[in-house]
Amino acid sequence: MQKTVKVRVTRLVLDTYLLKYYNKRKTYFAHDALEQCTVGDVVLLKALPERRTKHVTHELAEVVYKVGNVVDPLTGKRVAAYQYLEPLSDPAELSAERLTEKIQQLNLTATATPSH
Amino acid sequence: MPMKGRFPIRRTLEYLQKGEVVFKNSVKIMTVNYNTQGELSEGARKFVFFNVPQIQYKNPWVQIMMFKNMTPSPFIRFYLDDGQQVLVDTEGKDYREITQHIKKIMGKTPEVLQAEALAKMVASNPANFGPKKYCLKECMCEVEGQVPCPGVVPLPKEMTGKWRAQMRAAED
């Protein structure tokens, strides 16, 4: 299959007797023009306005998390489960002069604050 | 069915219906990234345990997905209709704070909800009788306090058309 990806989509469905939500799987075929996906990627699909072929009804909107190369959206750094693969702050920024500059910019004074 | 498991109250209809967050129509997908270990994800874990069933019950057409242990920091992401994405950082927050924040940014306001409830009430007018699909009752005999259906309980003699016709004939 060229330029097509098989995507498993899970939605939460309520079991009527147990009243608990379980993941229900459904597979969709999506059109991927650039063939950039591999097995294990988390992907965002967008419904096509009209059916492209008998089975392909959606297209790839974007790759959300690439397998092995997950990027944390909060910091923008590469990440692996519990750790950051890239250092969070630039090592040059942590030198003594830079830190003293930053502290001086904050303009802290030792006045006593009124207690509650 | 006995209440089995931790916090089985989460599995009652009353608890599910008490959910406060109703998303705006533009929200299509909600994604929760959290970790199974660690203090920082504690709020997100509790949010998923207690509040996600309520949210899904109130918003049956929103797709909710959970991702575990992918990034060191927990967050929630919303994917809207027009392709926009909203990122909510939940690191170190309490699950109640998270729900309130989400209600504020992505939820329908109480006024909008009231207006919708009113519109739904207008559609069902108790004064109309007809098929079950369109009206509440099919016949006046179904209303409590009214004359019961003569097909079930025979009418008193004085109310039948036959008796009234006989009386009218006797007078003449």
Side-chain angles (χ1 to χ4, degrees):
Chain A
M1 268 195 321
Q2 292 122 349
K3 298 194 181 177
T4 328
V5 273
K6 185 157 91 166
V7 180
R8 174 184 292 163
V9 165
T10 59
R11 290 180 209 263
L12 289 172
V13 172
L14 184 67
D15 182 301
T16 18
Y17 186 64
L18 294 174
L19 287 179
K20 197 171 167 182
Y21 278 99
Y22 290 99
N23 279 320
K24 186 174 175 169
R25 304 166 165 182
K26 195 168 174 181
T27 46
Y28 289 94
F29 286 102
H31 178 69
D32 173 19
L34 305 162
E35 284 218 52
Q36 48 176 315
C37 296
T38 35
V39 181
D41 293 346
V42 176
V43 128
L44 182 68
L45 294 187
K46 188 173 167 169
L48 290 168
E50 49 184 37
R51 202 182 265 263
R52 201 187 158 90
T53 63
K54 184 166 139 197
H55 294 288
V56 176
T57 43
H58 291 68
E59 67 166 354
L60 190 74
E62 59 158 321
V63 177
V64 179
Y65 304 116
K66 183 93 190 134
V67 68
N69 196 5
V70 178
V71 172
D72 183 19
L74 292 167
T75 52
K77 311 281 178 191
R78 281 181 54 220
V79 130
Y82 296 110
Q83 320 160 345
Y84 287 96
L85 293 176
E86 290 167 12
L88 278 172
S89 49
D90 204 11
E93 291 285 315
L94 293 172
S95 67
E97 306 105 30
R98 288 287 301 146
L99 286 171
T100 42
E101 266 178 45
K102 285 198 171 173
I103 291 168
Q104 278 165 7
Q105 276 172 9
L106 284 170
N107 257 351
L108 296 164
T109 49
T111 50
T113 50
S115 54
H116 296 285
Chain B
M1 181 78 181
M3 295 290 247
K4 287 193 175 180
R6 284 187 300 160
F7 295 97
I9 195 172
R10 298 174 298 136
R11 298 195 291 112
T12 47
L13 268 179
E14 203 184 313
Y15 177 85
L16 291 174
Q17 281 157 0
K18 278 223 171 85
E20 298 171 332
V21 188
V22 181
F23 286 139
K24 298 180 191 164
N25 294 336
S26 55
V27 177
K28 297 292 171 196
I29 307 175
M30 175 170 117
T31 301
V32 186
N33 268 283
Y34 64 103
N35 291 336
T36 43
Q37 305 287 327
E39 271 290 323
L40 299 168
S41 289
E42 184 62 35
R45 255 174 279 146
K46 286 224 156 74
F47 174 75
V48 165
F49 190 71
F50 288 113
N51 293 318
V52 157
Q54 288 180 319
I55 295 176
Q56 181 75 100
Y57 189 81
K58 287 283 173 177
N59 308 280
W61 299 111
V62 170
Q63 180 187 3
I64 301 182
M65 287 195 85
M66 255 69 79
F67 292 107
K68 292 194 216 175
N69 302 326
M70 284 189 92
T71 71
S73 53
F75 57 89
I76 298 179
R77 222 174 190 177
F78 296 93
Y79 294 83
L80 304 184
D81 220 354
D82 47 358
Q84 232 187 342
Q85 291 177 22
V86 178
L87 193 62
V88 177
D89 187 10
T90 56
E91 191 159 341
K93 291 208 184 128
D94 192 32
Y95 69 103
R96 278 173 284 234
E97 279 173 33
I98 300 173
T99 340
Q100 288 306 311
H101 187 65
I102 285 181
K103 193 174 164 189
K104 199 160 74 160
I105 49 172
M106 293 270 113
K108 286 189 179 159
T109 51
E111 295 86 26
V112 169
L113 282 171
Q114 254 181 7
E116 278 182 5
L118 222 65
K120 247 174 77 169
M121 255 168 44
V122 163
S124 62
N125 188 351
N128 294 337
F129 294 93
K132 275 273 179 232
K133 187 177 165 190
Y134 304 106
C135 312
L136 294 168
K137 302 259 185 230
E138 286 193 320
C139 176
M140 184 66 92
C141 66
E142 291 177 29
V143 179
E144 298 90 29
Q146 296 298 325
V147 173
C149 187
V152 176
V153 164
L155 285 175
K157 198 166 61 136
E158 294 82 13
M159 288 168 90
T160 56
K162 187 177 174 181
W163 181 87
R164 287 185 186 170
Q166 280 172 358
M167 287 292 118
R168 230 176 290 127
E171 277 171 28
D172 302 335

